[in-house]
Amino acid sequence: MEDDRRVIAKTSHPNVGPLVLTTASEVATMEFARTVLDLPVPQVLAWSATDQNPVQAEYIIMEGARGSQLHEVWEDLSIWASCVEYLQSIVRREIDWISNYAHLQEPKETPWQYKSPEQNSPESHIALLQKFLAAIPLVTPQDPELTSPRLWHPDFHAGNIYIVEGSPTAEKDPLMNKVMRHPHGKTLKQVEAFVGATWDNCLFPFEECLISIEREWELFYAN
């Protein structure tokens, strides 16, 4: 356009969903996100949920999204240099959130899950998080293969793995074998999962993980 703004015109694809409803829903969702949630969503300038128009198709005309595409700036993004830094960032984030906002939001109630007597105490959360923060460099595995970035299933354990003929063996997949046989893999994975959700009724399981680490401190430190 003359003012250097970009405008995008899009028509519906027959495989996207039901006629009329798909386009109308997309427009309503974008406007809700932009006007109510105050998200930087492109503004819809014109739209039609019917093919009874000069275009003879459903369409949406909207502003181009602001910013740069991820692939254009990927190399410039700063990421954690190590597993230790990643875990430390989670702990610091939680301490910061709990310090500033926990008093405004009641912890989630899960009737089937045991609730720690200290669950509603921000001070108790912060104290445990600070203990773990100090221990992170000492309990993180030293083997770089075990701490390298990987796509990981959140509930990945031996009970969720099925072996069939031709599946990878220890010889074919030594890294998987090393991960599954790490003596403290389960505890380390659990503490990583719970540390970012203590206020969501996970203080007790997080504390259990720290107790396990303390009991076997010498073995953890050796690995």
Side-chain angles (χ1 to χ4, degrees):
M1 298 178 66
E2 293 181 357
D3 57 1
D4 293 330
R5 289 190 304 165
R6 294 185 302 117
V7 172
I8 295 175
K10 54 183 294 187
T11 58
S12 63
H13 191 282
N15 292 338
V16 170
L19 298 176
V20 180
L21 298 179
T22 300
T23 298
S25 176
E26 181 175 353
V27 171
T29 301
M30 292 178 65
E31 283 301 287
F32 179 83
R34 187 179 68 85
T35 60
V36 178
L37 301 182
D38 197 27
L39 298 176
V41 176
Q43 181 178 0
V44 174
L45 304 175
W47 64 284
S48 175
T50 174
D51 59 5
Q52 302 302 308
N53 55 57
V55 181
Q56 298 183 0
E58 297 181 31
Y59 67 84
I60 297 175
I61 299 176
M62 62 185 187
E63 295 176 328
R66 299 190 299 273
S68 301
Q69 292 180 318
L70 181 60
H71 73 86
E72 297 174 347
V73 298
W74 180 257
E75 297 298 329
D76 298 325
L77 295 178
S78 60
I79 58 175
W80 300 287
S82 67
C83 178
V84 170
E85 288 187 11
Y86 165 70
L87 290 173
Q88 289 172 335
S89 71
I90 295 177
V91 176
R92 293 189 177 109
R93 179 199 68 199
E94 292 301 300
I95 291 176
D96 183 62
W97 186 90
I98 292 172
S99 299
N100 291 283
Y101 303 108
H103 64 286
L104 301 175
Q105 180 176 325
E106 289 293 325
K108 291 183 179 179
E109 294 290 340
T110 47
W112 62 88
Q113 185 177 355
Y114 175 77
K115 180 178 179 180
S116 168
E118 306 298 327
Q119 178 62 47
N120 292 4
S121 167
E123 294 77 15
S124 297
H125 288 256
I126 293 172
L128 283 178
L129 288 167
Q130 288 175 334
K131 289 181 179 179
F132 180 55
L133 182 63
I136 288 174
L138 303 176
V139 300
T140 303
Q142 302 300 309
D143 187 337
E145 278 195 316
L146 293 177
T147 58
S148 59
R150 305 280 173 176
L151 291 176
W152 202 253
H153 190 283
D155 194 23
F156 187 62
H157 56 79
N160 278 346
I161 300 176
Y162 290 81
I163 304 299
V164 297
E165 185 177 353
S167 291
T169 62
E171 293 76 20
K172 293 181 179 179
D173 195 341
L175 177 58
M176 177 65 70
N177 182 63
K178 184 187 296 186
V179 169
M180 298 304 295
R181 294 182 182 276
H182 189 276
H184 309 297
K186 181 178 180 180
T187 300
L188 290 173
K189 179 56 188 168
Q190 287 180 337
V191 75
E192 183 270 338
F194 295 137
V195 70
T198 63
W199 197 251
D200 292 332
N201 204 20
C202 285
L203 182 64
F204 177 71
F206 177 61
E207 187 173 13
E208 279 192 316
C209 290
L210 297 187
I211 291 173
S212 296
I213 292 174
E214 183 180 20
R215 285 175 178 170
E216 302 180 4
W217 177 254
E218 292 185 2
L219 297 177
F220 266 92
Y221 186 73
N223 286 279

